[in-house]
Amino acid sequence: MNDVSPQAVKDYLLDLQDRICAELESEDGQGRFEEDAWDRAEGGGGRSRVLTEGAVIEKGGVNFSHVFGERMPPSATAHRPELAGRSFQAMGVSLVIHPHNPYVPTSHANVRFFVAEKEGEAPVWWFGGGFDLTPFYGFEEDAVAWHRAARDACAPFGDDLYAEFKRWCDDYFYIKHRDEPRGVGGLFFDDFNRLDFEHSFALMRSIGDGFIGAYRPIMARRKALPYGQRERDFQLYRRGRYVEFNLVYDRGTLFGLQSGGRTESILMSLPPLVRWDYDWRPEPGSPEAELHEKFLIHREWL
């Protein structure tokens, strides 16, 4: 299967969205995803699924999109100027989960496929994606389990891929103007086509399938822990960092907006409640300080 098959990728992504939504609903125990199917005037569409005010999930979105057009948007050609002027297809599943309980980390995952075409030339294609974890109160057990799942997803495709994709994730999800990581990382990869189509697609599937097996046990362990207003306030403060990254640096957000994507779906990743406190600093020795000292650092977890 060395021929490029966008339809095979699309079929997988639609099934992945279904499976992740079912798993999250089961762990939440109360909330249900509402689907909003949409069309894009320039070509394509998608289905956005959002769960709000569940028992565990305050707001979660699991989106599928498949868009196409005659010209690649600037965010996609910034690193690949030779693709300017090509037609394109872009498809993917992207999700963000914002739990109620500050002890349950926020999580993000994305898997995607691009193909750019020009008459008389071979198509140029690549895969991208990954998953990352953003705790508010850190648990070493969770971070180690998360990275073990990330390593296992990459292992069949090369001994060096986990280390490479972990470094890429650490570098990518870094809030430069705050000089701090967004969370404890995980995997990030983009423009991936070094293997043939069949094996590159298999890698993307392994990472996509690995997300829920990594995240659901963490959600289950932490969702019933008691918390108060102090923990909730800190969660809302740290969510501000999440918003800053997504609006300033995230390539998926920029691509969606520049390609005329559906704004509601693109900004689905933002939390429902957030706060910014001027020059706030955690009390030394506090659990809030521990997050910065032990978890929001570049670290080898395995």
Side-chain angles (χ1 to χ4, degrees):
M1 184 181 153
N2 288 323
D3 292 336
V4 177
S5 177
Q7 186 61 49
V9 179
K10 183 175 182 178
D11 292 343
Y12 165 75
L13 292 170
L14 289 168
D15 178 66
L16 178 67
Q17 184 190 33
D18 288 342
R19 289 186 285 115
I20 289 176
C21 288
E23 292 263 7
L24 290 171
E25 286 181 349
S26 178
E27 191 60 49
D28 185 275
Q30 172 183 301
R32 293 294 180 265
F33 283 94
E34 299 292 331
E35 181 171 299
D36 183 15
W38 53 275
D39 294 312
R40 175 176 174 268
E42 297 85 351
R47 57 187 198 187
S48 298
R49 292 181 179 170
V50 178
L51 186 159
T52 56
E53 295 302 323
V56 180
I57 299 170
E58 185 173 6
K59 179 188 177 186
V62 183
N63 288 349
F64 165 80
S65 65
H66 176 204
V67 302
F68 43 87
E70 292 304 312
R71 290 185 178 277
M72 299 277 285
S75 63
T77 59
H79 302 285
R80 302 281 292 272
E82 73 276 12
L83 299 181
R86 284 178 173 249
S87 64
F88 74 94
Q89 291 189 66
M91 62 184 76
V93 166
S94 181
L95 67 93
V96 179
I97 307 301
H98 295 289
H100 285 286
N101 193 320
Y103 291 110
V104 182
T106 284
S107 186
H108 159 261
N110 172 265
V111 284
R112 57 190 178 271
F113 173 67
F114 288 83
V115 59
E117 299 178 281
K118 189 174 184 179
E119 188 174 355
E121 298 185 21
V124 178
W125 55 267
W126 64 89
F127 291 93
F131 49 71
D132 63 284
L133 196 69
T134 305
F136 307 102
Y137 290 90
F139 294 90
E140 187 149 341
E141 174 190 5
D142 295 347
V144 170
W146 182 257
H147 279 274
R148 186 178 297 120
R151 180 195 62 193
D152 291 349
C154 296
F157 305 93
D159 294 337
D160 57 341
L161 280 186
Y162 163 70
E164 177 187 347
F165 292 175
K166 179 195 179 295
R167 285 193 301 271
W168 203 343
C169 187
D170 289 341
D171 292 342
Y172 180 75
F173 291 107
Y174 194 81
I175 307 171
K176 299 178 182 67
H177 61 276
R178 297 289 190 179
D179 194 24
E180 66 184 36
R182 189 171 82 172
V184 298
L187 301 172
F188 180 85
F189 71 106
D190 206 1
D191 301 329
F192 188 89
N193 57 11
R194 74 181 69 164
L195 306 175
D196 62 20
F197 176 81
E198 179 181 2
H199 291 92
S200 296
F201 183 23
L203 169 64
M204 187 266 268
R205 294 198 307 270
S206 183
I207 291 172
D209 294 344
F211 163 76
I212 197 65
Y215 185 57
R216 185 172 176 178
I218 295 172
M219 182 185 289
R221 278 196 295 272
R222 309 303 170 196
K223 66 183 182 181
L225 293 179
Y227 66 93
Q229 192 60 47
R230 168 179 173 158
E231 291 83 5
R232 177 65 167 168
D233 287 344
F234 185 61
Q235 178 195 47
L236 299 186
Y237 166 74
R238 289 299 311 174
R239 280 179 176 177
R241 297 293 203 264
Y242 205 92
V243 172
E244 290 174 23
F245 178 86
N246 275 31
L247 295 182
V248 176
Y249 301 112
D250 186 68
R251 285 175 64 182
T253 300
L254 298 177
F255 175 85
L257 295 174
Q258 291 176 359
S259 62
R262 184 171 183 265
T263 301
E264 284 298 312
S265 298
I266 297 163
L267 299 183
M268 170 278 303
S269 63
L270 301 183
L273 295 173
V274 63
R275 63 184 290 168
W276 280 269
D277 295 308
Y278 179 75
D279 201 27
W280 183 86
R281 298 173 189 275
E283 180 182 345
S286 68
E288 292 79 16
E290 183 182 61
L291 178 74
H292 292 79
E293 294 163 1
K294 295 185 179 180
F295 292 88
L296 298 184
I297 57 175
H298 286 305
R299 180 173 168 181
E300 297 302 323
W301 292 98
L302 301 181

